[in-house]
Amino acid sequence: MPAIESTRAASRWTTRIVPVFLAAAVAYATYVVVARVCLNYLLRSLHEDGTAVALLVLYFVFFVLMIATYARTLYSANFNPGVVPLGPRAASQQGTKDGRWVRRPYGAHDIEGRAYEAGPDEDPDSPGLERFYSRDAFVCENDGRPKWCSECCNWKQDRVHHSREIGRCVYRMDHYCPWAGGMIAESSFKFFVQFTTYTSLFCAVVLGATAYALRRQVQQGASPDPFLLAAIVIAAFFGLFAFLMTVTSIRYLLQNMTNVDILSYRHKVYQLAVRVPRGTRSDQFGTIEYPLRKLDNGPTYRKEANRRLKPNGRVPEDRGDTPHASSRDDLATRTFAILETRPGENPWDLGPWRNWQAVMGTNPLDWVLPIRHSPCANHENPESLYSMDRILNKLRARYGLPAGPPSDESTLVEMRNLRS
Ligand SMILES: [Zn+2]
């Protein structure tokens, strides 16, 4: 499995060099805290056995946790960052070079190349669309179709973002982090938060141990050890950096946000396609029917969306461009209302406790150990790729729609009536 690396040479080199710097800093801190402070000074000179043992235990607990979470983050960010498979058109245009995804060059007269640059796939049977309408809600464009990535030639599922850094779409992308060695996204965010937390605590232990030893040296009238002073500067620098990252990440965790969501989030408005009883029409919102239907001639995609009711309450007439499907086909269709959130409403916000559990897990052991992936990465929620029941309940109430998704029971009843 090739590592997913940055498309930029500078980032790739930073990613390779940073771990060497980190390893050097940790080796130096270990030498100062273990050898100089605990063994030589506290144990042999001052005979403060209790303090020395307590500091050593704290030091190695956070040392092991920090290294383990770093290794897990590094692995996830490089080998399993949650990249979305390429669409068929992009897959034929891209390939791996030195283990990285690159787009193959194409000439100006390359018809395939031009097709590759084109907008959304207009085929009503476009591969991947069923992943959206088989659920009850998804983020959509004004016309009710999902967002499209013209680089990956793929429909973008909820919270999928295209990263220019690695040239691929990524699930629940957060940021590209040269410190953590790659893409921090759905599969690595939990380990990243654990890593920054343990690094902050590790640096706090180093600061505490060296500051205590320095204070004792000054009390004894000895000249301060310069090794300790250097360790304080290094630990303060990395500690402050890690602490700020931890605070920001925990805030995102509790709000169910990412570095991508946070961009202009106060004004951000989401369009959501929300499944409603079949045939629902309203003057408040547009609707779209899935699966999209093929037309005999002209455009293959029927722009059902925004066929809003006329002021007199009548559905606008079809101008002959709507195919007449059989009643049985009708029953297989699903109607989605295109609803808009208010500015600043975060569709993914489930409340702090559920937001925390979605990423960190439900078991406290999962919170502290870098073993299991975030529950949200399982994509097991039948209603939407990521839970958004809170906003869906709000929107359904706001737009006067029945609470909850339409049951399949009503479809079965209609099917039975049709048969008889
Ligand atoms: Zn993409």
Side-chain angles (χ1 to χ4, degrees):
M1 184 168 46
I4 304 278
E5 288 191 300
S6 172
T7 51
R8 293 172 197 160
S11 296
R12 281 202 304 281
W13 279 106
T14 315
T15 308
R16 281 171 203 161
I17 291 167
V18 161
V20 179
F21 272 105
L22 294 182
V26 172
Y28 182 74
T30 306
Y31 165 69
V32 170
V33 173
V34 176
R36 290 189 89 91
V37 172
C38 291
L39 299 182
N40 284 346
Y41 188 60
L42 296 179
L43 270 177
R44 289 193 193 126
S45 300
L46 301 183
H47 302 290
E48 291 186 11
D49 297 10
T51 315
V53 170
L55 282 176
L56 283 173
V57 168
L58 278 178
Y59 183 85
F60 280 108
V61 165
F62 292 129
F63 176 85
V64 168
L65 287 169
M66 180 179 73
I67 300 294
T69 48
Y70 186 56
R72 196 77 168 97
T73 310
L74 212 57
Y75 179 81
S76 292
N78 279 280
F79 294 101
N80 179 26
V83 290
V84 178
L86 295 170
R89 272 190 286 164
S92 63
Q93 291 288 340
Q94 292 200 5
T96 48
K97 186 189 170 197
D98 306 332
R100 298 192 307 280
W101 283 103
V102 289
R103 187 200 289 186
R104 297 203 182 99
Y106 47 79
H109 303 294
D110 183 347
I111 295 166
E112 285 281 305
R114 282 208 294 275
Y116 172 66
E117 284 295 306
D121 188 356
E122 295 295 330
D123 180 3
D125 293 327
S126 176
L129 270 181
E130 68 290 342
R131 280 203 300 269
F132 294 84
Y133 65 79
S134 58
R135 300 195 196 247
D136 292 320
F138 57 89
V139 175
C140 66
E141 298 280 17
N142 285 338
D143 64 5
R145 289 187 297 171
K147 289 171 186 288
W148 174 260
C149 176
S150 51
E151 295 282 321
C152 302
C153 297
N154 227 340
W155 300 104
K156 281 160 104 173
Q157 289 194 275
D158 298 358
R159 306 193 91 173
V160 163
H161 188 79
H162 186 85
S163 161
R164 297 214 167 276
E165 192 75 46
I166 61 170
R168 293 290 296 270
C169 273
V170 183
Y171 284 110
R172 205 183 188 280
M173 182 184 134
D174 197 84
H175 67 291
Y176 185 86
C177 180
W179 293 92
M183 178 54 66
I184 302 302
E186 169 179 273
S187 59
S188 48
F189 190 66
K190 170 184 157 174
F191 308 132
F192 175 76
V193 178
Q194 289 174 332
F195 166 59
T196 59
T197 308
Y198 291 134
T199 305
S200 312
L201 293 168
F202 175 82
C203 291
V205 173
V206 174
L207 274 176
T210 45
Y212 176 74
L214 268 182
R215 192 171 135 249
R216 296 288 279 134
Q217 286 174 351
V218 172
Q219 279 173 348
Q220 287 183 319
S223 58
D225 183 349
F227 277 89
L228 269 61
L229 288 171
I232 285 184
V233 172
I234 296 172
F237 171 75
F238 283 109
L240 184 68
F241 185 63
F243 178 71
L244 292 177
M245 287 301 283
T246 307
V247 171
T248 311
S249 304
I250 290 180
R251 181 189 153 207
Y252 286 172
L253 262 182
L254 296 175
Q255 294 182 331
N256 214 330
M257 285 261 191
T258 61
N259 265 304
V260 175
D261 299 329
I262 208 87
L263 299 171
S264 68
Y265 84 100
R266 281 180 205 284
H267 311 286
K268 210 181 259 181
V269 168
Y270 291 83
Q271 308 258 35
L272 301 178
V274 180
R275 196 177 149 222
V276 289
R278 206 173 32 253
T280 299
R281 294 286 182 274
S282 167
D283 52 358
Q284 288 187 65
F285 50 80
T287 57
I288 184 166
E289 303 279 344
Y290 280 100
L292 303 174
R293 287 175 189 171
K294 273 201 171 80
L295 299 177
D296 295 338
N297 50 11
T300 49
Y301 166 64
R302 179 172 63 142
K303 287 214 166 46
E304 178 73 21
N306 296 324
R307 269 183 64 214
R308 300 180 183 201
L309 281 183
K310 285 180 173 174
N312 60 9
R314 277 168 45 204
V315 179
E317 285 163 31
D318 287 336
R319 289 178 308 279
D321 61 347
T322 305
H324 293 282
S326 72
S327 309
R328 205 174 57 181
D329 284 350
D330 270 343
L331 284 178
T333 64
R334 294 177 142 219
T335 305
F336 286 80
I338 302 159
L339 309 180
E340 207 168 73
T341 62
R342 286 179 182 154
E345 264 181 337
N346 175 13
W348 325 112
D349 186 11
L350 307 168
W353 178 234
R354 285 179 65 206
N355 291 342
W356 171 270
Q357 288 183 317
V359 175
M360 300 306 287
T362 47
N363 186 336
L365 263 185
D366 286 336
W367 304 348
V368 291
L369 296 179
I371 298 172
R372 290 209 289 196
H373 276 291
S374 301
C376 69
N378 294 336
H379 303 164
E380 280 170 344
N381 183 28
E383 203 175 29
S384 51
L385 188 69
Y386 300 99
S387 291
M388 49 174 164
D389 45 49
R390 259 191 163 199
I391 192 80
L392 291 180
N393 289 341
K394 266 191 212 172
L395 287 176
R396 285 184 180 120
R398 199 177 291 162
Y399 285 94
L401 289 163
S407 67
D408 291 328
E409 193 69 17
S410 55
T411 311
L412 285 174
V413 171
E414 281 182 61
M415 197 80 92
R416 252 180 249 128
N417 291 343
L418 188 74
R419 260 193 233 123
S420 63

